[in-house]
Amino acid sequence: MPDPLQLLDIPSLLSDEERAIQATVAAFLADHVRPHVASWFEEGVLPRELARELGKLGVLGMHLEGYGCAGTSALAYGLACLELEAADSGIRSFVSVQGSLSMYSIRQYGSEEQKQEWLPRLAAGEAIGCFGLTEPDFGSNPSGMRTHAVRDGADWVLNGAKTWITNGGLADVATVWARTEEGFRGFLVPRGTPGFSTRDIKNKLSMRASVTSELVLEDVRLPESARLPLATSLRAPLSCLNEARFGIVFGAVGAARDSLQAALDYAGTRIQFDKPIAAFQLTQRKLASMSVQVNTAMLLALHLARLKEAGTLKPEQISVGKYNNVETAIAVARESRTILGANGISSEYSPLRHANNLESVLTYEGTSDIHLLSIGHALTGIASFR
Ligand SMILES: Cc1cc2nc3c(=O)[nH]c(=O)nc-3n(C[C@H](O)[C@H](O)[C@H](O)COP(=O)(O)OP(=O)(O)OC[C@H]3O[C@@H](n4cnc5c(N)ncnc54)[C@H](O)[C@@H]3O)c2cc1C
């Protein structure tokens, strides 16, 4: 069955270079990830070696300039995220956290020494990064965070805990956000620093091909040179989250496209009542409605990418994309699952794996509720977060 995004001839809206980057990422995933990802999901693992392979592919921090990063357009990065999440949201999460949260926080707010030390290794996948903002008692409202850093002579001493941190247990360096007497600040905490430990979160029913961890900081002593010098308020981590959300806008389209593709393929070959189930009007209604949703989600993603490239993309516009495309993707993944009947609950087919993963995507980087509040704020001028 054809690519569902051919319905509106979406590829004709891309340049040759953008199509080539998308095809290169898709080909890598077909060889290195797709054959294994269902068993990684079942086993709840993400092989560390994948980091170097993704580094060689050039997708780690690909939209950043210099320090070993490719410096591609926002749209090229979005298309890579689309293909990565079409394989599995866990793979896209790895790349998003590495590039848009860990590397972006260093690129945007770090000192020259911090950039030189970490960015080339993170781009190559020789080192892995994570981003610790969420705490056990503060998720949607990070401004309440308890993790704190206190000056002690020339050093800082950090205490606190972060949770639900993607790549935490794999990371060589953690960007950790903490409150100080002077306001919120970011610190780079290398693995092995005394007092810093991580514990992986087990028993996840979603995002299983991804490492998610707690970070514990007990009297972690860091020099002033570990602080991100240009991060001077909570605006810094929130700007990193906007970068990562942009990738999700595209990634969600990938998960939806892959689910729909699986449903289309299955409907064309599964015979019931002497006909392929694709021949029944009720099945066609599901397929047609889903393809309209996936194509329009892609048009929205493309529009936001062009705004980002023009430098005019606003946070509430990213909220529109994150809210719409993730809600669309989870609905498409669930509906696609129904077309596969009992086979739809087997890991042999992707739609239920995508739907389960999208439960996490719906929650992280701002829940749908929080994005609706952000859109409501832009529309009315009234903030109703509290
Ligand atoms: C797999 C996974 C990976 C993650 N990776 C990271 C990571 O790498 N780094 C990191 O820092 N965090 C990460 N997170 C954490 C994620 O960002 C938080 O889970 C998210 O911000 C929501 O916070 P919470 O879970 O504490 O939910 P809560 O904030 O407790 O929200 C619970 C419910 O209340 C609703 N709610 C909250 N406030 C309001 C309000 N004002 N109005 C209306 N409804 C409201 C929410 O929408 C939600 O439905 C990850 C989470 C998951 C699941």
Side-chain angles (χ1 to χ4, degrees), residues 226-307:
R227 188 173 65 80
L228 294 171
L230 302 179
T232 54
S233 74
L234 213 50
R235 264 201 284 271
L238 297 182
S239 76
C240 300
L241 290 173
N242 270 335
E243 283 295 304
R245 287 168 186 149
F246 174 79
I248 293 176
V249 173
F250 279 85
V253 177
R257 186 201 68 190
D258 192 68
S259 300
L260 175 54
Q261 188 81 63
L264 276 166
D265 292 344
Y266 192 85
T269 55
R270 174 71 176 172
I271 309 292
Q272 288 295 291
F273 300 98
D274 308 319
K275 285 196 234 172
I277 57 172
F280 298 115
Q281 289 184 355
L282 290 175
T283 308
Q284 283 199 12
R285 185 182 199 286
K286 289 182 184 178
L287 295 170
S289 163
M290 287 192 287
S291 66
V292 171
Q293 292 174 59
V294 177
N295 277 271
T296 51
M298 184 64 189
L299 287 177
L300 173 57
L302 286 170
H303 175 60
L304 297 185
R306 298 299 184 205
L307 291 180

Side-chain angles (χ1 to χ4, degrees), residues 208-228:
R208 290 184 53 75
S210 174
V211 174
T212 319
S213 318
E214 296 169 7
L215 311 182
V216 180
L217 301 119
E218 290 167 328
D219 291 327
V220 172
R221 182 171 286 276
L222 295 170
E224 166 67 7
S225 61
R227 188 173 65 80
L228 294 171

